[in-house]
Amino acid sequence: MRLVAKAGAGLLSPGARAVIPCLWRGRCFSSGNEPVEPPPVTPMLRHLTYKIKSTGPITVAEYMREALTNPAKGYYVYRDMLGEKGDFITSPEISQIFGELLGIWFISEWMATGKTAAFQLVELGPGRGTLAGDILRVFSQLGSVLKNCDISIHLVEVSQKLSEIQALTLTEEQVPLERSAGSPVYMKGVSKSGIPISWYRDLQDVPKGHSFYLAHEFFDVLPVHKFQKTPQGWREVFIDIDPQVSDKLRFVLAPCATPAEAFIQHDETRDHVEVCPDAGVIIQELSERIALTGGAALIADYGHDGTKTDTFRGFCGHKLHDVLIAPGTADLTVDVDFSYLRRMAQEKVASLGPIKQQTFLKNMGIDVRLKVLLDKSNEPSLRQQLLQGYDMLMNPKKMGERFNFFALLPHQRLHGGSHQSNSRQSKPSPTPVAGFSELVWQ
């Protein structure tokens, strides 16, 4: 497809490809630092330039999908990108308190919805397994509460490298893992406390049943389509080869409407939007499952409620990284649009949030938990680590206001048996949802 756009006084010639103005790209798409030396030509860059030469410019969504999850060269597939030696650090890697409070949240919801005889904990994109490990430790510590409940863990992970790290984190080394490359369940194991764990590549493969779903920093890496408003209407942003430098990529605008434009709201007032069809599909699947079999979904990510415009950025070595340089070597991420997730639930379930991480964790009792751990610790280095972790999680200038929590729940969880408004008067008020209000133990 040929791509043309407005430039100055009029349209470029039909054979030319127009780049989005340099100022717009520099402000929104890169760290602002031009490399002193030519960037490396990575295997992924070679793959993408060959692809573009063969079929034409590609969408930002296709670029993200290739750069992050290509089976042969994708950033997530064969590397451990987490921790101090990686490209970014997540909340579970900062403090054990984070995962412990999420474990409390799931137990609180299990209790509030009738203490079912069994439930599945399903985590999407489990990282190194640190978060699941902290949650499992809480389940063990509160074993007297959960003693009559049959619990199983289900991890949805596409990265071979990370699934191996998760297995080391969560299972006893002497317990052999069952592996079946061609099966929907490609790996099975048992946690240190005896809870069965299964690994899947797709949420669709996870058995349906009463489940609690967790997605922490999962939706922000799903591929997005980017759109710019022009005098001719919405135009999708594509990625093309720079005609001046054969090993360099650039952004261009499509000359006419593209299919993904259907995801933009008719009353959209922003001049630039990012839409994520993959996120919509996953939210619809979660909503259908929760409406059918109960449970809840807890989503934690950085994002906004339909207010931000261009948030596409890269991270490499804990620093901002130009998204078009050395693809395959850096994390690519986009702020989650929670208003879009809410729309995609299509009222099949109720939603809560987004609320700031600082508010959610305070409601969950992080201050009390920190005091308990500090009182138990006599080591100055451990006490300092706990205080630094708390500051990172709660400080508004760090993660406290940057990250948000969002939940999907059955309508009857909020409205006492029916989502019709007049039903509230005849039924007792349901227990408040922890985190979104102050935690209350029954």
Side-chain angles (χ1 to χ4, degrees), residues 171-238:
T171 67
E172 291 285 6
E173 291 184 20
Q174 65 266 27
V175 178
L177 290 168
E178 296 179 36
R179 299 175 185 269
S180 180
S183 170
V185 186
Y186 67 85
M187 194 161 66
K188 288 184 179 181
V190 179
S191 78
K192 298 169 184 176
S193 57
I195 294 176
I197 307 175
S198 301
W199 278 263
Y200 312 79
R201 293 184 181 85
D202 196 301
L203 173 61
Q204 298 272 3
D205 296 326
V206 177
K208 288 184 170 70
H210 191 84
S211 302
F212 293 103
Y213 301 91
L214 174 60
H216 177 261
E217 290 199 53
F218 171 78
F219 283 93
D220 64 275
V221 297
L222 296 180
V224 299
H225 292 266
K226 295 177 65 65
F227 287 89
Q228 177 73 27
K229 188 176 284 185
T230 75
Q232 293 75 39
W234 290 104
R235 292 293 180 262
E236 186 164 3
V237 178
F238 277 67

Side-chain angles (χ1 to χ4, degrees), residues 306-347:
T307 56
K308 291 187 178 180
T309 55
D310 182 16
T311 66
F312 186 34
R313 59 201 180 280
F315 286 97
C316 184
H318 302 279
K319 295 180 180 179
L320 279 171
H321 177 88
D322 190 312
V323 294
L324 296 185
I325 289 179
T329 66
D331 185 36
L332 302 177
T333 181
V334 179
D335 280 14
V336 177
D337 184 346
F338 290 104
S339 69
Y340 173 72
L341 301 190
R342 191 183 301 114
R343 287 199 308 273
M344 290 298 100
Q346 298 177 334
E347 299 186 356

Side-chain angles (χ1 to χ4, degrees), residues 56 96 105 139 210 226 254 256 277 288 307 309 329 360 391 422:
Q96 70 180 71
W105 191 89
F139 287 0
H210 191 84
K226 295 177 65 65
C256 56
E288 289 172 3
T307 56
T309 55
T329 66
F360 181 91
D391 180 64
N422 58 12

Side-chain angles (χ1 to χ4, degrees), residues 47-351:
H47 168 70
L48 290 168
T49 54
Y50 177 79
K51 185 181 184 72
I52 292 170
K53 288 175 182 177
S54 301
T55 62
I58 58 176
T59 64
V60 173
E62 188 173 1
Y63 177 79
M64 289 183 71
R65 187 173 288 109
E66 289 286 337
L68 296 178
T69 60
N70 179 284
K73 308 175 183 70
Y75 173 76
Y76 283 126
V77 178
Y78 293 108
R79 69 173 71 208
D80 174 14
M81 69 296 296
L82 297 167
E84 292 184 7
K85 295 181 181 179
D87 296 317
F88 56 91
I89 298 177
T90 60
S91 296
E93 308 294 331
I94 291 171
S95 174
Q96 70 180 71
I97 302 177
F98 184 85
E100 291 173 347
L101 295 180
L102 296 200
I104 295 293
W105 191 89
F106 289 115
I107 294 175
S108 171
E109 278 306 293
W110 172 74
M111 295 173 67
T113 53
K115 300 182 180 179
T116 55
F119 72 79
Q120 302 180 149
L121 178 64
V122 182
E123 185 175 3
L124 309 180
R128 302 179 65 150
T130 306
L131 183 53
D134 290 338
I135 292 172
L136 284 172
R137 186 173 62 255
V138 171
F139 287 0
S140 295
Q141 292 169 346
L142 295 176
S144 60
V145 178
L146 296 166
K147 61 183 178 182
N148 295 321
C149 185
D150 183 15
I151 302 172
S152 57
I153 306 298
H154 304 261
L155 305 179
V156 180
E157 179 59 73
V158 297
S159 169
Q160 177 181 326
K161 178 67 174 179
L162 286 179
S163 65
E164 292 170 356
I165 294 172
Q166 292 154 18
L168 286 173
T169 302
L170 299 173
T171 67
E172 291 285 6
E173 291 184 20
Q174 65 266 27
V175 178
L177 290 168
E178 296 179 36
R179 299 175 185 269
S180 180
S183 170
V185 186
Y186 67 85
M187 194 161 66
K188 288 184 179 181
V190 179
S191 78
K192 298 169 184 176
S193 57
I195 294 176
I197 307 175
S198 301
W199 278 263
Y200 312 79
R201 293 184 181 85
D202 196 301
L203 173 61
Q204 298 272 3
D205 296 326
V206 177
K208 288 184 170 70
H210 191 84
S211 302
F212 293 103
Y213 301 91
L214 174 60
H216 177 261
E217 290 199 53
F218 171 78
F219 283 93
D220 64 275
V221 297
L222 296 180
V224 299
H225 292 266
K226 295 177 65 65
F227 287 89
Q228 177 73 27
K229 188 176 284 185
T230 75
Q232 293 75 39
W234 290 104
R235 292 293 180 262
E236 186 164 3
V237 178
F238 277 67
I239 291 171
D240 194 11
I241 300 168
D242 190 325
Q244 306 300 321
V245 185
S246 61
D247 290 328
K248 186 178 180 182
L249 301 174
R250 65 171 187 168
F251 293 100
V252 294
L253 289 179
C256 56
T258 52
E261 186 181 330
F263 290 92
I264 301 176
Q265 291 287 94
H266 295 299
D267 58 352
E268 181 59 67
T269 58
R270 291 171 289 176
D271 60 6
H272 189 97
V273 293
E274 297 161 334
V275 294
C276 184
D278 287 6
V281 171
I282 292 170
I283 288 294
Q284 288 174 354
E285 174 72 12
L286 292 175
S287 300
E288 289 172 3
R289 286 170 173 247
I290 293 168
L292 182 66
T293 61
L298 186 63
I299 297 167
D301 227 314
Y302 42 81
H304 58 94
D305 206 12
T307 56
K308 291 187 178 180
T309 55
D310 182 16
T311 66
F312 186 34
R313 59 201 180 280
F315 286 97
C316 184
H318 302 279
K319 295 180 180 179
L320 279 171
H321 177 88
D322 190 312
V323 294
L324 296 185
I325 289 179
T329 66
D331 185 36
L332 302 177
T333 181
V334 179
D335 280 14
V336 177
D337 184 346
F338 290 104
S339 69
Y340 173 72
L341 301 190
R342 191 183 301 114
R343 287 199 308 273
M344 290 298 100
Q346 298 177 334
E347 299 186 356
K348 293 175 183 174
V349 293
S351 65

